[in-house]
Amino acid sequence: FRHHRRFYFLHSALALAVLALGMINNGGNRKFIPVNQKELFNLATSQSSGVAVATGIIIDGDDAQSCHKAYANVHSSSVEDEFSAICCSPSDPPKSTFQSKAKKYKNNLCHPQVPIIGVSTQQLPFARRLTRLTEAWVLPLLPILIRLVYQLVMMMHCFFTQQHQQQQQKNMQREATSVSNNSQASSSSFSFTSTSNSSSALLDEEFASTATHKLIRTTLKRLLFYLLVLNIRGWGLYIGANALEDYVILPLLNGRAVISPLRTDSMSDMDHDLRNDGNDPECWYKGLLKSHHKSAMENNGHSDCYGRPFDFSDHAVLFLAHYLPVFVMEMLLCYSFPFWGASRTEKKELELKGMIWSAVHVILFLYLHLIVLQALCHTAAYFHTPAEMLVGYGVSLILQLPLGYLMCSDKWHWLKKHIGLPSEGEIISDKGD
């Protein structure tokens, strides 16, 4: 388990460093929500001259087409504050070596790029869809689904091979009984040898089929365990933590009534609390809100600033307690005990099949890590305050710590045996063999 512990330590340190980098890039207490781009453009420019009249709004161009998407900082006290609102152009800005602080901050919000490779998230698969329901429940399970499909294919291969050998054995038996009486003595030895070889091959295939069935059952148990973990994140850490925030924490802080025990969008960080303690600045962006945000405020009888109250980051919990723990756990298992062939601890040259599977898993591992960590940094830089991100990180530890302990310690043997995780004693004995 040494390499497991080392990897979990480096992985956790990297995630925390990315989170800290995002909070530093936040620049203070900024929290942006999407607003109506036409209303913001009308506020930012005079229709007659096209000259900016609100110094806090960052906008390119003098026509409405230059404001494709718009965001407002809910913690800015007025429209004149720096970075009070940002209008995004529909296309990526031209690359320039020297950019002002405002332009760089705006471009990173409107057209985020994945670090290292420098490619826009719009051009990368799944990079802008991590919070969608389908991707959130499929992408973390990709490694074990690949393992399961491979094992099912091998089971079908064993089945058809076994059927072929059984038919071959029956044919040989018929040939042995149909030999003439004159040649019976001379051919009996050959027939017996051929039948013995066929029976031996059939037994080998039956043993391989039985072993494959056991592996599939263990993989299915581990898949159910992962689904349980994902449901704990969804129902416990999301709905449960939000209900705790709504019913206990916020009423204690501001004494206001609770609007709803459940949130309207299970993956959204921007459709949350409407409460206010009355001490915040005037809600200058109320007229810029989108129609469904305005309807939510009117239907619930509140006139407070939308999005301004404290709300821990559900996206931080999604990335750190939903995507990465399950994905990392299965990838470490694939690395330590590959399903495509011999263990990496055996000193033999990798076959072409093993090299291909290893390359596929390494690429998948690095790619998903890259887009998830980029999304985490982007969320911390623009869509939540540092305090909200830290609370979200603390909530994610409810799942991160037990799963890390399960992979890095020699405890919980009953659970490891049930879901197919090896204990340290089993690894040592396997190495000794």
Side-chain angles (χ1 to χ4, degrees), residues 373-389:
L373 292 178
Q374 187 276 334
L376 176 67
C377 184
H378 193 66
T379 300
Y382 296 100
F383 301 121
H384 277 282
T385 64
E388 293 172 341
M389 292 299 298

Side-chain angles (χ1 to χ4, degrees), residues 233 237 312-322 392-393 395-396:
R233 199 289 310 176
L237 300 190
F312 78 89
S313 176
D314 297 317
H315 281 179
V317 181
L318 175 68
F319 300 141
L320 296 173
H322 186 99
Y393 178 79
V395 173
S396 73

Side-chain angles (χ1 to χ4, degrees), residues 42 67 73 170 200 209 228 230 238 254 275 378 410 412:
N42 292 335
C67 193
N73 177 16
K170 289 178 182 179
S200 176
S209 179
L228 176 63
L230 299 185
Y238 176 73
N254 54 36
R275 294 165 293 273
H378 193 66
D410 196 28
W412 297 352

Side-chain angles (χ1 to χ4, degrees), residues 335-362:
Y335 171 74
S336 301
F337 300 95
F339 60 82
W340 53 83
S343 171
R344 69 177 185 87
T345 57
E346 297 182 12
K347 296 180 180 180
K348 56 175 65 174
E349 288 190 19
L350 286 174
E351 298 179 355
L352 179 61
K353 180 178 69 173
M355 293 176 64
I356 293 174
W357 278 115
S358 298
V360 168
H361 275 69
V362 168

Side-chain angles (χ1 to χ4, degrees), residues 284-296:
W284 64 268
Y285 59 88
K286 186 176 180 180
L288 306 177
L289 292 175
K290 295 192 172 184
S291 57
H292 62 283
H293 292 161
K294 291 181 179 179
S295 299

Side-chain angles (χ1 to χ4, degrees), residues 8 12 320-321 325 393-409 412:
Y8 262 96
S12 302
L320 296 173
Y393 178 79
V395 173
S396 73
L397 293 178
I398 297 175
L399 274 181
Q400 286 194 74
L401 293 179
L403 291 179
Y405 184 78
L406 177 65
M407 285 297 292
C408 298
S409 74
W412 297 352

Side-chain angles (χ1 to χ4, degrees), residues 1-2 4-5 8 221-226 228-229 232 325-326 328-330 332-333 336-337 397-427:
F1 289 94
R2 256 197 317 273
H4 286 183
R5 298 188 187 103
Y8 262 96
K221 289 179 182 178
R222 192 162 64 255
L223 178 59
L224 291 175
F225 173 74
Y226 291 155
L228 176 63
V229 170
I232 291 175
V326 171
V328 168
M329 186 174 177
E330 186 63 24
L332 280 179
L333 192 62
S336 301
F337 300 95
L397 293 178
I398 297 175
L399 274 181
Q400 286 194 74
L401 293 179
L403 291 179
Y405 184 78
L406 177 65
M407 285 297 292
C408 298
S409 74
D410 196 28
K411 308 296 183 182
W412 297 352
H413 297 286
W414 60 273
L415 180 57
K416 290 184 177 183
K417 184 177 180 180
H418 186 71
I419 63 176
L421 296 180
S423 64
E424 192 163 4
E426 292 171 336
I427 294 177

